[in-house]
Amino acid sequence: MTGGGDCPGLNAVIRAIVRKAERHYGDSVIGFLDGWRGVLEGEFIELDVASMRGTLPRGGTVLGTSRMSPRMREDGVEHVRAAVESAGADALIVIGGEGTLSAGAGVNDAGAAKVVGVPKTIDNDIGLTEQTFGFDTAVGIATAAIDRLHTTAESHDRVMVVEVMGRHVGHIATWAGIAGGATLTLIPEEPFDIEAAVEAIARRHQRGRWASIVVVAEGARPKEGTMALPEPEIDEFGHVRLGGIGHAVAAEIEARTGYDTRVTVLGHIQRGGTPSAFDRVLCSWYGVAAIDAVHDGDWGSMVAYQGGEMVRVRLADAVAELKPVSPALYDVAKTFFP
Amino acid sequence: MTGGGDCPGLNAVIRAIVRKAERHYGDSVIGFLDGWRGVLEGEFIELDVASMRGTLPRGGTVLGTSRMSPRMREDGVEHVRAAVESAGADALIVIGGEGTLSAGAGVNDAGAAKVVGVPKTIDNDIGLTEQTFGFDTAVGIATAAIDRLHTTAESHDRVMVVEVMGRHVGHIATWAGIAGGATLTLIPEEPFDIEAAVEAIARRHQRGRWASIVVVAEGARPKEGTMALPEPEIDEFGHVRLGGIGHAVAAEIEARTGYDTRVTVLGHIQRGGTPSAFDRVLCSWYGVAAIDAVHDGDWGSMVAYQGGEMVRVRLADAVAELKPVSPALYDVAKTFFP
Amino acid sequence: MTGGGDCPGLNAVIRAIVRKAERHYGDSVIGFLDGWRGVLEGEFIELDVASMRGTLPRGGTVLGTSRMSPRMREDGVEHVRAAVESAGADALIVIGGEGTLSAGAGVNDAGAAKVVGVPKTIDNDIGLTEQTFGFDTAVGIATAAIDRLHTTAESHDRVMVVEVMGRHVGHIATWAGIAGGATLTLIPEEPFDIEAAVEAIARRHQRGRWASIVVVAEGARPKEGTMALPEPEIDEFGHVRLGGIGHAVAAEIEARTGYDTRVTVLGHIQRGGTPSAFDRVLCSWYGVAAIDAVHDGDWGSMVAYQGGEMVRVRLADAVAELKPVSPALYDVAKTFFP
Amino acid sequence: MTGGGDCPGLNAVIRAIVRKAERHYGDSVIGFLDGWRGVLEGEFIELDVASMRGTLPRGGTVLGTSRMSPRMREDGVEHVRAAVESAGADALIVIGGEGTLSAGAGVNDAGAAKVVGVPKTIDNDIGLTEQTFGFDTAVGIATAAIDRLHTTAESHDRVMVVEVMGRHVGHIATWAGIAGGATLTLIPEEPFDIEAAVEAIARRHQRGRWASIVVVAEGARPKEGTMALPEPEIDEFGHVRLGGIGHAVAAEIEARTGYDTRVTVLGHIQRGGTPSAFDRVLCSWYGVAAIDAVHDGDWGSMVAYQGGEMVRVRLADAVAELKPVSPALYDVAKTFFP
């Protein structure tokens, strides 16, 4: 099953699982539909090598996904147990981010299903693995966008603020900020001082560089008391409106400096479409390793990428806390601050 | 001089002008800085083949640009006359969109400078030329973004609304809508009926297709009385907040259908960065043709692309009215509406 | 049916035909398999909107293709007549290049089937249409490759020779040469003088520019007597080995100048994969126009792109002679020659 | 200095070194020209933050490169000592692959200069670092090419053989083979059995899959006695003609199966142009870490990427033997073999 938000490479993981399961182990594979919803309701389809053909480069997931969780239903874990049993499934491979994997750990520990996890999230915030799939693709998309914003910034001597994904950690912002040659990069791990940020941009202007790119993770927050934040906009359907912090930072920069400042919120284009070459390899490797873990009976494990090799860690440990950006890497970003 | 918003290919035009001027005609070339501002204030730099090296694939403009116009200054035309004379320029090649070119026609007709125009605008809204440069690049960027949004829409059974550039005409929306396989495309040329749009999406859902992509040009407007529009948001710096119509359409769709709906406003990434191969050729051809027009003394002309060849039209005619989307092409888009 | 070599956008044409035929006209559509082979042998599949889903961005053709022709079989035209009748087809839409369309004209004129043609070829060599589909994509791929070769040329002070497709005409070479900033571009329309080419490169070196990119269409040929050409290599399976002229030109340059020279033959990557945004629009328009022509009973016509609009021309006229590169455009390329 | 073949990201490393050196340490930086040639001959330019502006996304190297080595000159090491002293350089950062770094280790051990190394090679064959820069970009380019070849293979029911870089190790082939969905991938680490390869393709055909993609590293070799190899073609200038093994494998497949088989040799496009987002980050990190190593006086060290962090290893150890493809990863590739 695939849970949580869309992420490039989901199909590539499924395809690899199915391939090795069918051809090497002689297994039959089924896929629960729409994340935990399908598991809770026992809705699934059969998967085989033929049906997964052509899906390696395709974004999305043939299984659909949702943000449903066993925790949202009364007796959720019992529904999972019943559905898995009724489907005749010997094991459950859970492909998802922190929420999906946590629920998977819970299901495994409750003995409701034998679970192996695969870490998916474009935010790259799962612990004990250097990289989750989808992240490399997201960084590539964000960098390509920043490349394009540079020339607009330069042609108009503008400050361009780019808000990228990253609610709790700033991996995408840090990587795309360095790769895109950002003037400043603001991440949740390190609350920012808007005054210092504005001074840095002004310092750059004094050196004759009028255009700046400021990359802001959507979860970046100012040091307390340094800057007013807008109330989060919640629309009539309960969605928090994206774009909050990017617009707030831009407004502060423009108000404090008078420099012409514009905002781009990259949004959903970071999470869809064909996976990068790296992500396709990582996903294929994850899928193969996940079905191997199933055949080793390594329940409650998550496949993880460490030091260029595939290893296994405990699901519960991996989701125990979000993985922050390496301070050494954020220092690389800072090397290029004015 | 290059005026108006940033646009991929500006450097490619300048490079071609300089190359043919210097190598073929033995001219010296100067470039006024920041659009009409530099012309008004007599600020320019020298340009030669060596200084334009490597700029073909680079977005932006080595000359900078602005939205300044001779019309914004008292005696603007006289300032232009003085600056052009003082710089010793025999002719002025004006590279820009409707506003810049109109001002160029005015300057030419007032005898303040001998002007040749080159049609630049990602919106493709200049008359008498099939294509302005920058448009093909913008369509490519918007299509790549829509490609990525498809998988997110499908993974989550969502309606994704994508707002693209096009204040007065819907060329980018129509092209990217067809190229991206949009469910619906809304353009300024044809005020839309929100109820009909919602019914079309519902019809699609009844056929079992739950995900939809709705492409909306930023200038698209509903038929009067069919839908409330938000007041345009003007921020404290006088900018109209982008994203107005996209968000309004999404809110209507969600309110009337209950389908999960999200918005992406592509914004400035459509107008920066490296030009497409087509735009690089078009720009090189425009540049060569513009300096040829100068040497033919064809003042008040604009180079134009018609029927696969380069021709000349009257600047004043080209900007007389905006060029709308061909109804036949918009019918192609409609072929794919549900 | 789709005939000849693979070309980006074939599926997009089929999808548009099927969509308009089924939804607008209420037709049933079948697709003959593997080009003329399927027509000759009466092998076809049913096509509908559902089966064409997701194919817009996908390269290749769901129908397969071949280089078979009715002319290669005895009574070929009669086999076509029998197969079309037996399949109950009222009309035959032929999507292909010069060979496929010529055969289509023959079949139509013999009264064996009612034929409408769609011009496909990455070479862009069909007459009476400004653009065939696949060409824009091929130019984009070739340009991206040339962009990459530039830095290698510059880092090593090398001459890089790039051979691109174009057996009879040099459209891809001319467009990609201009877009890629080539030093020289050699095309079949204008036999080249190797001595003049070498002198041009030497002139550039004297100006301190050590790296050069020479784009060569595979069909480019030297002026008689100026340069020895290798015997065409025919391998044991009867294929002519590509790369002939590129390697020959490189050897001459290196021998005559001593400059370090390398060759890249782009080959098949130019003709596969996802179509560009432009090609997707062109293909969708061609498909819609082709089924419209069928319903107008305009037999023997070919849909064509002229002046930004879709028109119809006579198939026989379109294939009467190959369309050469516009001399004005090749002059633009020459503007950048040293 | 930058040595060896062109590689995406060279400028990004130089830019990071210069930035941190100038802004953080207050150093002056010079760059020797054309690899070891410039060091041997004492030819260099001054580098500063201003001169490196805009080079992050640009392929190539502002310093030029060559395959020269101190070992190729009598008293080479002494020339290096003299040039470094005469230039007043306190340390020498050597950016290159196995050959360049080995020479750097030699120069350091001889006390001719204080050396820190940065591992560059698109082949990813340097030891003790998980990734060299340029590799991720090369894999991306090769994967994009394979994506395009798929549709041509499928449209024509062909076997496409793709030869990619990798003289001694098969990292690019393995990664691009998995990412591109190759049918078979042949690498130097594991001599292949042509008969087994042909049988695998035939097995696939029996399952109704007629098109195959075979990725071959240029250094792949058959098990002895299983297949005749062409004599390496050495042209009149002493270059070994690329494309040898790809063409040989294709000829064997076609001869043994009769399947229509074509070859594409990707060649130099794999090593030029803009670096991927990942490579830009890796290069920036390498550059910062290299100048830090200089200020730590860690002579004879090489910066290396291990486990998601930057570390230092001994130059001599890193080049002691080439790093092969992880057997576990090659097993992932094999999972998809027929």
Side-chain angles (χ1 to χ4, degrees):
Chain A
M1 64 85 94
T2 54
D6 185 34
C7 185
L10 286 161
N11 284 328
V13 177
I14 301 168
R15 171 180 171 271
I17 292 169
V18 168
R19 179 87 184 198
K20 180 133 195 195
E22 185 177 319
R23 290 279 164 87
H24 182 83
Y25 292 115
D27 297 337
S28 297
V29 183
I30 61 171
F32 288 102
L33 297 177
D34 298 340
W36 285 112
R37 191 198 63 72
V39 188
L40 287 160
E41 300 177 4
E43 204 176 329
F44 62 86
I45 57 173
E46 288 177 24
L47 295 171
D48 57 21
V49 167
S51 65
M52 291 310 295
R53 210 151 265 159
T55 58
L56 172 62
R58 260 189 254 162
T61 159
V62 296
L63 297 177
T65 182
S66 71
R67 300 200 184 267
M68 172 59 61
S69 160
R71 292 160 184 176
M72 296 180 190
R73 295 250 177 118
E74 211 181 336
D75 294 329
V77 169
E78 292 315 304
H79 278 95
V80 170
R81 186 197 309 273
V84 169
E85 265 183 37
S86 154
D90 300 311
L92 179 65
I93 299 178
V94 169
I95 309 169
E98 191 271 336
T100 306
L101 295 176
S102 290
V107 161
N108 184 75
D109 294 351
K114 294 165 175 170
V115 173
V116 167
V118 178
K120 171 228 79 164
T121 147
I122 61 162
D123 285 351
N124 199 28
D125 58 4
I126 303 293
L128 302 183
T129 185
E130 280 164 41
Q131 211 139 333
T132 55
F133 70 87
F135 171 66
D136 184 69
T137 305
V139 169
I141 296 167
T143 300
I146 296 170
D147 278 357
R148 293 203 171 272
L149 294 173
H150 266 289
T151 71
T152 294
E154 280 157 23
S155 298
H156 292 282
D157 289 335
R158 269 180 193 157
V159 178
M160 304 293 289
V161 174
V162 194
E163 187 181 301
V164 299
M165 286 191 167
R167 283 185 191 275
H168 307 292
V169 291
H171 293 278
I172 293 178
T174 304
W175 282 72
I178 296 173
T183 303
L184 288 177
T185 300
L186 310 179
I187 62 175
E189 285 88 338
E190 201 165 299
F192 61 88
D193 180 334
I194 188 69
E195 202 167 310
V198 164
E199 275 167 16
I201 293 171
R203 201 152 50 234
R204 180 171 159 90
H205 282 227
Q206 282 151 16
R207 288 182 183 137
R209 304 279 295 157
W210 297 94
S212 288
I213 302 275
V214 180
V215 174
V216 184
E218 60 182 330
R221 287 294 170 268
K223 283 183 187 163
E224 223 163 301
T226 60
M227 171 183 148
L229 274 182
E231 288 296 304
E233 290 176 55
I234 315 264
D235 67 22
E236 54 185 306
F237 315 102
H239 302 148
V240 177
R241 270 279 291 279
L242 284 174
I245 188 65
H247 282 99
V249 165
E252 286 286 329
I253 291 172
E254 196 157 69
R256 288 169 187 243
T257 63
Y259 303 149
D260 192 16
T261 305
R262 300 297 164 86
V263 186
T264 296
V265 178
L266 289 187
H268 291 90
I269 58 168
Q270 294 165 87
R271 64 181 326 131
T274 195
S276 69
F278 177 87
D279 272 335
R280 295 189 199 174
V281 173
L282 187 64
C283 288
S284 300
W285 204 346
Y286 274 146
V288 164
I291 189 73
D292 284 347
V294 164
H295 280 271
D296 286 349
D298 199 351
W299 314 120
S301 68
M302 184 187 87
V303 292
Y305 187 66
Q306 290 183 0
E309 292 293 339
M310 198 53 63
V311 300
R312 291 181 204 150
V313 299
R314 296 289 88 202
L315 251 182
D317 297 343
V319 298
E321 46 185 329
L322 293 177
K323 180 184 63 184
V325 171
S326 155
L329 184 61
Y330 192 54
D331 278 349
V332 173
K334 286 179 183 169
T335 302
F336 298 94
F337 291 3
Chain B
M1 64 84 93
T2 54
D6 183 34
C7 185
L10 286 161
N11 284 328
V13 177
I14 300 168
R15 170 180 171 271
I17 292 169
V18 169
R19 180 87 185 199
K20 180 134 195 194
E22 184 177 320
R23 291 279 164 87
H24 182 83
Y25 291 114
D27 298 337
S28 297
V29 184
I30 61 170
F32 287 102
L33 297 177
D34 299 339
W36 286 112
R37 192 197 62 73
V39 188
L40 287 161
E41 301 177 3
E43 203 176 331
F44 61 86
I45 57 173
E46 288 177 24
L47 294 171
D48 57 21
V49 167
S51 65
M52 291 309 296
R53 211 149 265 160
T55 58
L56 172 62
R58 260 187 253 162
T61 160
V62 295
L63 297 176
T65 183
S66 71
R67 300 199 184 268
M68 172 59 61
S69 161
R71 293 160 183 175
M72 296 180 191
R73 295 247 179 122
E74 211 181 334
D75 294 329
V77 168
E78 293 315 306
H79 278 96
V80 170
R81 186 195 309 272
V84 168
E85 264 183 38
S86 154
D90 299 310
L92 179 64
I93 300 178
V94 170
I95 308 168
E98 191 271 337
T100 306
L101 295 175
S102 291
V107 161
N108 184 75
D109 294 350
K114 294 166 175 169
V115 172
V116 167
V118 179
K120 171 229 79 164
T121 147
I122 61 161
D123 284 352
N124 199 27
D125 58 5
I126 303 292
L128 302 184
T129 186
E130 280 163 41
Q131 212 139 332
T132 56
F133 71 86
F135 171 66
D136 184 69
T137 305
V139 169
I141 297 167
T143 301
I146 296 170
D147 278 357
R148 293 203 171 271
L149 294 172
H150 266 289
T151 70
T152 295
E154 281 156 21
S155 298
H156 292 282
D157 290 335
R158 269 180 193 157
V159 179
M160 303 294 288
V161 174
V162 193
E163 188 181 302
V164 299
M165 286 191 167
R167 283 185 190 276
H168 307 291
V169 291
H171 293 278
I172 293 178
T174 304
W175 283 72
I178 296 173
T183 303
L184 287 176
T185 300
L186 311 178
I187 62 175
E189 286 88 336
E190 201 165 297
F192 61 87
D193 180 334
I194 188 69
E195 201 168 309
V198 163
E199 275 166 17
I201 294 170
R203 202 154 48 235
R204 181 171 159 90
H205 283 227
Q206 282 150 16
R207 288 183 183 136
R209 304 279 295 157
W210 296 94
S212 288
I213 303 275
V214 180
V215 173
V216 185
E218 60 181 328
R221 286 296 172 266
K223 282 183 187 161
E224 224 164 301
T226 60
M227 171 184 147
L229 274 183
E231 287 297 303
E233 289 175 56
I234 316 264
D235 67 23
E236 55 185 306
F237 315 102
H239 301 149
V240 177
R241 267 281 291 280
L242 283 174
I245 188 65
H247 282 99
V249 165
E252 286 287 329
I253 291 172
E254 196 158 68
R256 288 170 188 242
T257 63
Y259 304 149
D260 191 16
T261 304
R262 300 296 164 87
V263 186
T264 297
V265 179
L266 288 187
H268 291 90
I269 58 167
Q270 294 164 89
R271 64 180 327 131
T274 194
S276 69
F278 176 87
D279 272 334
R280 296 189 200 175
V281 173
L282 187 64
C283 288
S284 300
W285 204 345
Y286 273 145
V288 164
I291 190 72
D292 284 347
V294 164
H295 280 271
D296 286 349
D298 199 351
W299 314 121
S301 67
M302 183 187 86
V303 292
Y305 186 67
Q306 290 183 359
E309 291 293 338
M310 197 55 61
V311 300
R312 291 181 203 150
V313 299
R314 295 288 87 203
L315 250 183
D317 298 344
V319 298
E321 46 186 327
L322 293 176
K323 181 184 62 183
V325 170
S326 156
L329 184 60
Y330 192 53
D331 278 349
V332 173
K334 286 180 183 169
T335 302
F336 298 94
F337 290 2
Chain C
M1 63 86 92
T2 53
D6 185 33
C7 185
L10 287 161
N11 284 327
V13 177
I14 301 169
R15 170 180 171 270
I17 292 169
V18 168
R19 181 85 184 199
K20 181 136 195 193
E22 183 177 320
R23 290 279 165 86
H24 182 82
Y25 291 115
D27 299 336
S28 296
V29 183
I30 61 170
F32 287 101
L33 297 178
D34 299 339
W36 285 113
R37 191 197 63 73
V39 189
L40 287 161
E41 300 176 5
E43 204 175 331
F44 62 86
I45 56 173
E46 288 178 24
L47 295 171
D48 58 21
V49 167
S51 65
M52 292 308 298
R53 211 151 264 159
T55 57
L56 172 63
R58 259 187 255 159
T61 161
V62 295
L63 297 177
T65 184
S66 71
R67 300 200 185 268
M68 173 58 60
S69 160
R71 291 161 185 177
M72 295 181 192
R73 294 248 179 124
E74 210 181 335
D75 293 330
V77 169
E78 292 316 304
H79 278 96
V80 170
R81 187 195 308 270
V84 169
E85 263 183 37
S86 153
D90 299 310
L92 179 64
I93 299 178
V94 170
I95 309 168
E98 191 271 335
T100 307
L101 295 176
S102 291
V107 161
N108 185 74
D109 295 350
K114 293 164 175 171
V115 172
V116 167
V118 179
K120 171 229 79 164
T121 147
I122 61 163
D123 284 351
N124 199 28
D125 58 5
I126 304 292
L128 303 183
T129 185
E130 280 164 41
Q131 212 141 335
T132 56
F133 70 86
F135 171 67
D136 184 69
T137 305
V139 170
I141 296 167
T143 301
I146 296 170
D147 278 358
R148 292 204 172 271
L149 294 173
H150 266 290
T151 71
T152 294
E154 281 157 22
S155 297
H156 292 282
D157 290 336
R158 269 181 193 156
V159 179
M160 304 292 290
V161 174
V162 194
E163 187 182 300
V164 301
M165 285 190 168
R167 283 186 190 274
H168 306 291
V169 291
H171 293 278
I172 293 178
T174 304
W175 283 72
I178 296 172
T183 302
L184 288 176
T185 301
L186 309 178
I187 63 175
E189 285 87 338
E190 202 166 295
F192 61 88
D193 180 334
I194 188 69
E195 201 167 309
V198 164
E199 275 166 18
I201 294 170
R203 200 152 52 235
R204 181 172 159 90
H205 282 227
Q206 281 150 17
R207 287 183 183 136
R209 303 279 294 156
W210 296 95
S212 289
I213 303 276
V214 180
V215 174
V216 184
E218 59 181 327
R221 288 293 171 268
K223 282 184 189 162
E224 223 163 303
T226 60
M227 171 182 147
L229 274 183
E231 287 297 304
E233 291 176 54
I234 316 265
D235 66 21
E236 55 185 306
F237 315 104
H239 301 149
V240 177
R241 268 281 289 280
L242 283 174
I245 189 65
H247 282 100
V249 165
E252 286 286 328
I253 292 172
E254 198 159 65
R256 289 168 187 243
T257 63
Y259 303 149
D260 191 15
T261 304
R262 300 296 165 89
V263 186
T264 297
V265 179
L266 288 186
H268 291 90
I269 60 168
Q270 293 165 89
R271 65 180 326 131
T274 194
S276 69
F278 177 87
D279 272 333
R280 295 188 201 176
V281 173
L282 187 64
C283 287
S284 300
W285 204 344
Y286 273 145
V288 164
I291 189 73
D292 285 348
V294 164
H295 280 271
D296 286 349
D298 199 351
W299 313 122
S301 68
M302 184 188 86
V303 292
Y305 187 67
Q306 291 183 359
E309 291 293 339
M310 197 55 60
V311 300
R312 292 182 204 149
V313 299
R314 296 289 87 202
L315 250 182
D317 297 343
V319 297
E321 47 186 325
L322 293 176
K323 181 184 62 182
V325 170
S326 155
L329 184 60
Y330 193 54
D331 278 350
V332 173
K334 285 180 184 169
T335 302
F336 299 95
F337 290 3
Chain D
M1 63 85 91
T2 54
D6 184 34
C7 185
L10 287 161
N11 284 327
V13 176
I14 301 168
R15 171 181 171 269
I17 292 169
V18 169
R19 181 86 185 198
K20 183 137 195 192
E22 184 177 321
R23 290 280 164 86
H24 182 82
Y25 291 114
D27 298 337
S28 297
V29 183
I30 60 169
F32 287 101
L33 297 177
D34 300 338
W36 285 113
R37 191 197 64 73
V39 188
L40 287 162
E41 301 177 5
E43 203 176 331
F44 61 87
I45 56 173
E46 287 178 24
L47 295 172
D48 58 20
V49 167
S51 65
M52 291 309 297
R53 211 151 263 158
T55 57
L56 171 62
R58 259 187 256 161
T61 161
V62 296
L63 296 177
T65 184
S66 71
R67 299 200 185 268
M68 173 58 60
S69 161
R71 291 162 185 175
M72 296 180 192
R73 295 248 179 122
E74 210 181 334
D75 293 329
V77 168
E78 292 316 304
H79 278 95
V80 169
R81 187 196 309 270
V84 169
E85 263 182 37
S86 154
D90 300 311
L92 179 65
I93 299 179
V94 170
I95 310 169
E98 192 270 337
T100 307
L101 295 176
S102 291
V107 162
N108 185 75
D109 294 350
K114 292 165 175 172
V115 172
V116 166
V118 179
K120 172 230 78 164
T121 146
I122 61 162
D123 284 351
N124 199 28
D125 57 5
I126 304 292
L128 302 183
T129 185
E130 280 164 42
Q131 212 141 334
T132 56
F133 71 86
F135 171 66
D136 185 68
T137 305
V139 169
I141 295 167
T143 301
I146 296 170
D147 278 357
R148 293 204 172 272
L149 294 173
H150 266 290
T151 71
T152 295
E154 281 157 20
S155 298
H156 292 282
D157 290 336
R158 270 181 193 156
V159 178
M160 305 292 289
V161 174
V162 194
E163 187 181 301
V164 299
M165 286 190 167
R167 283 185 191 275
H168 305 293
V169 291
H171 292 278
I172 293 178
T174 304
W175 282 73
I178 295 173
T183 302
L184 287 177
T185 300
L186 309 179
I187 63 175
E189 286 87 337
E190 202 166 295
F192 61 88
D193 180 334
I194 188 69
E195 199 167 311
V198 164
E199 274 167 18
I201 294 171
R203 200 151 53 233
R204 181 171 158 91
H205 282 229
Q206 280 150 17
R207 287 182 182 136
R209 304 280 294 156
W210 296 95
S212 288
I213 303 275
V214 179
V215 174
V216 184
E218 58 181 328
R221 287 294 170 268
K223 282 184 188 161
E224 224 162 302
T226 60
M227 171 183 148
L229 273 183
E231 287 297 304
E233 290 176 55
I234 316 264
D235 66 22
E236 54 186 305
F237 315 102
H239 301 149
V240 177
R241 267 281 289 282
L242 283 174
I245 188 65
H247 281 101
V249 165
E252 286 286 328
I253 292 173
E254 198 160 63
R256 289 169 187 243
T257 64
Y259 303 148
D260 191 16
T261 305
R262 301 296 164 88
V263 186
T264 297
V265 178
L266 289 186
H268 291 90
I269 60 169
Q270 294 165 88
R271 66 179 326 130
T274 194
S276 69
F278 176 87
D279 272 334
R280 295 188 201 176
V281 173
L282 187 64
C283 288
S284 301
W285 205 344
Y286 273 144
V288 164
I291 189 74
D292 284 348
V294 164
H295 280 271
D296 286 349
D298 199 351
W299 313 121
S301 68
M302 183 188 86
V303 293
Y305 187 67
Q306 291 183 359
E309 291 293 339
M310 196 55 60
V311 300
R312 292 182 203 148
V313 299
R314 296 289 87 201
L315 250 182
D317 297 344
V319 297
E321 47 186 326
L322 293 176
K323 181 183 64 182
V325 171
S326 155
L329 184 61
Y330 192 53
D331 278 349
V332 172
K334 286 180 183 169
T335 302
F336 298 94
F337 291 3

